[in-house]
Amino acid sequence: MKLGTRIAGVAAAAVIAWAGHAQAQTAPADTVAAIRARGQLICGVSVNAPGFAVPDSRGEFRGLDVDTCRAVAAAILGDGTKVRFVPNTTVQRFPMLQSGEIDILVRNTTWSMARETQLGLVFAGINFYDGQGFMVRRSSNITSARQLDGATVCVQPGTTTELNLTDYFRTNRMRFTPVVIEQAEEIRAAFVAGRCDAYTNDASSLASFRATRTTDANEFVLLPEIISKEPLGPAVRKGDWRFFDIVRWTLFAQIAAEELGLNSGNIEEVARTTTNPDIQRFVGRTGDLGRSMGLENDWAVRIIRQVGNYGEMYERNITPIGIPRGVNNLWNNGGLHYAPPIR
């Protein structure tokens, strides 16, 4: 066989192999179209996380993550109540999103490199800056995580929490025995019952747990050490970039609204009367920013009117469980939240 013929044959085979691979790759589902067709956003949330996602006395979910879902529904469907909430465990959450059983996952989930590069998921932003901590009984007289050498520690499996726990004890040359329990309620019950010396989770989750203790909250102490960075936010399937854009800019719209002084009480009036160019773009009076995402130009007005700005969400859901805003303030008030220009 001549060299040119052989090269041509190899090239042809490569093209055929590439074409076969391309055919095997299924196009990402159009999540926005599916949401509109069913008239409902399907949102995966925590089973029971006061401040983030918990059913009230009427069975309606409340919390920061819940409001994030409602804001996305308001942007896409014009109605923030058109959401079906699907509670899931730490083990169930990623398979449910990967399979399409839920449209979006918003459940105290940490944005990490491995989750984006290995699971086919992508995080659209951060709705809460958190960090991992430890809780102990006050009667233990433990005042620092460095005193936990040899302790039993309650932890949920399949989480960054479990990995951070191992890293922290290894780094500090300490020993521990994990008590691994999947269900949040069961792990909390085990801690209360004394099956473990310490309970580790995101500091917000520990504060949330303590806030639910009506008679013995003072018996539990959060230790001062924060051993990790835990940026929490909504995750969607990688490749469906229109839906990704909507979720990302929904988050940014709520942050930008707080910075612009827009809230659920004044958004309608300001939208009609403002001469501020930034606000005119925000409310859709100038530009076609909404239509660029396949939405109405008043998409951001719908979000703020129905759900509120980021500060309103925080005050409604997180402040009552005793967590100060701290790093969750806006960038111009000493915090980390910052929205790129909406223009």
Side-chain angles (χ1 to χ4, degrees), residues 54-67:
V54 65
D56 63 16
S57 59
R58 296 181 298 173
E60 295 183 6
F61 274 89
R62 307 287 181 192
L64 186 76
D65 291 342
V66 169
D67 280 350

Side-chain angles (χ1 to χ4, degrees), residues 153-158 162 177-183 187 195:
V153 183
C154 282
V155 63
Q156 287 182 285
E162 189 176 21
T177 301
V179 178
V180 180
I181 303 172
E182 181 180 346
Q183 297 289 347
I187 199 168
R195 287 180 55 192

